[in-house]
Amino acid sequence: VLRPEGVLCVLEHGLAPVTPKATLKALLMAYRLVPGDVVKVDTGTWDLDSTVQLFDSGSAAQAITLVGSPAGSLFDRNDTSEDCLYMDRVNYVRLESLKMTGGESGIHAEGVSTNHSRGVEVVGCEVYGNQTYGMYFQYVSNSVIASNICRNSSCGIYASYCSGVAKANDCYANSSYGLSVYSQYSFTLEGNTSHENSYGMSVSGSYGLDVVGNRVYLNTGDGILGGGWGMRLRRNTIYSNGGNGVHVNY
């Protein structure tokens, strides 16, 4: 359990709401998180003096969950050369109802080609005002990126060499792409809204990329810019973009 800056924490072991840790960094330094752990973040703004780094993993049966307050839990990195939250080769971690701003990337999750992260879920979060990416995923299998707001960065959501789904996200006012996905694995973009960016979506890959039921409009350039093979575009609503509705390169 975390309590925002400015609130006195006396017995701050972080294991109960009445004894919260002062910062997420302090909690992660004090404890190794294990499957089934839930970290609850109180209402408030958390000014970060360094990147929050998470290396602990849950299990397929019991994820590790970091959940924000319904009234708003905002992490401000205050340094656009560094990420707000960084996860490296973690499995079955869920982020829910958190806000990230002021970093290079708001949320950065990655593995390596020989050791993917697995089962990383980001649901109901808001990332905005980050220098390059709202969310950056690379080499993450079975990922879920759902019902997030990704705005006012260079790229709202970026995913490469990932499998999983990005669905029901609202990506807008980004200076390059609302969403950008390159995949050689099965990945679905479904029910997202991408508007008022430079480009709505960039989608490319060589296997199992399904782009279905998205709404893409009022972008300065093309609505959907695609390439590769093995990709399907189905039932998307695309209108009022400055360039092509759909522009496919091979």
Side-chain angles (χ1 to χ4, degrees):
V1 179
L2 307 179
R3 182 175 292 168
E5 185 178 6
V7 179
L8 181 62
C9 300
V10 181
L11 299 173
E12 48 179 37
H13 55 62
L15 301 179
V18 294
T19 55
K21 277 288 185 186
T23 66
L24 181 56
K25 179 180 176 181
L27 186 142
L28 294 176
M29 290 178 65
Y31 300 107
R32 178 178 178 272
L33 300 182
V34 298
D37 280 348
V38 177
V39 178
K40 296 181 179 179
V41 184
D42 203 354
T43 303
T45 297
W46 308 79
D47 290 314
L48 301 174
D49 59 4
S50 61
T51 298
V52 176
Q53 299 184 64
L54 180 60
F55 304 106
D56 299 329
S57 289
S59 68
Q62 291 184 303
I64 290 171
T65 302
L66 279 65
V67 59
S69 162
S73 303
L74 172 64
F75 290 89
D76 191 341
R77 185 65 183 87
N78 294 299
D79 183 350
T80 56
S81 66
E82 301 290 344
D83 297 328
C84 296
L85 188 149
Y86 174 76
M87 296 177 284
D88 183 18
R89 283 167 279 187
V90 300
N91 301 318
Y92 305 108
V93 172
R94 180 182 173 92
L95 308 180
E96 185 177 337
S97 302
L98 298 171
K99 297 183 179 183
M100 304 282 175
T101 192
E104 170 75 11
S105 299
I107 296 171
H108 182 147
E110 67 175 26
V112 296
S113 61
T114 56
N115 184 13
H116 286 207
S117 290
R118 298 188 305 275
V120 176
E121 300 184 5
V122 182
V123 179
C125 294
E126 182 175 1
V127 289
Y128 66 93
N130 297 290
Q131 179 69 26
T132 307
Y133 302 105
M135 299 184 188
Y136 178 96
F137 277 54
Q138 186 172 51
Y139 294 119
V140 181
S141 299
N142 301 321
S143 57
V144 176
I145 307 168
S147 302
N148 303 290
I149 296 172
C150 304
R151 61 179 177 87
N152 297 101
S153 300
S154 178
C155 179
I157 295 173
Y158 175 84
S160 65
Y161 299 100
C162 296
S163 66
V165 61
K167 62 182 180 181
N169 300 288
D170 188 10
C171 301
Y172 63 93
N174 297 290
S175 61
S176 58
Y177 299 100
L179 301 96
S180 179
V181 175
Y182 174 80
S183 184
Q184 294 181 333
Y185 307 97
S186 177
F187 196 94
T188 300
L189 285 159
E190 182 175 5
N192 301 286
T193 303
S194 186
H195 56 104
E196 298 166 270
N197 310 286
S198 290
Y199 296 89
M201 297 182 180
S202 173
V203 290
S204 60
S206 59
Y207 176 79
L209 184 56
D210 198 13
V211 183
V212 56
N214 301 284
R215 185 171 174 232
V216 184
Y217 65 98
L218 288 178
N219 297 287
T220 305
D222 297 331
I224 297 179
L225 179 62
W229 58 93
M231 176 177 62
R232 297 189 300 172
L233 276 68
R234 303 181 292 128
R235 301 195 303 274
N236 299 286
T237 302
I238 306 165
Y239 61 94
S240 298
N241 297 287
N244 299 294
V246 178
H247 183 171
V248 178
N249 291 315
Y250 286 95

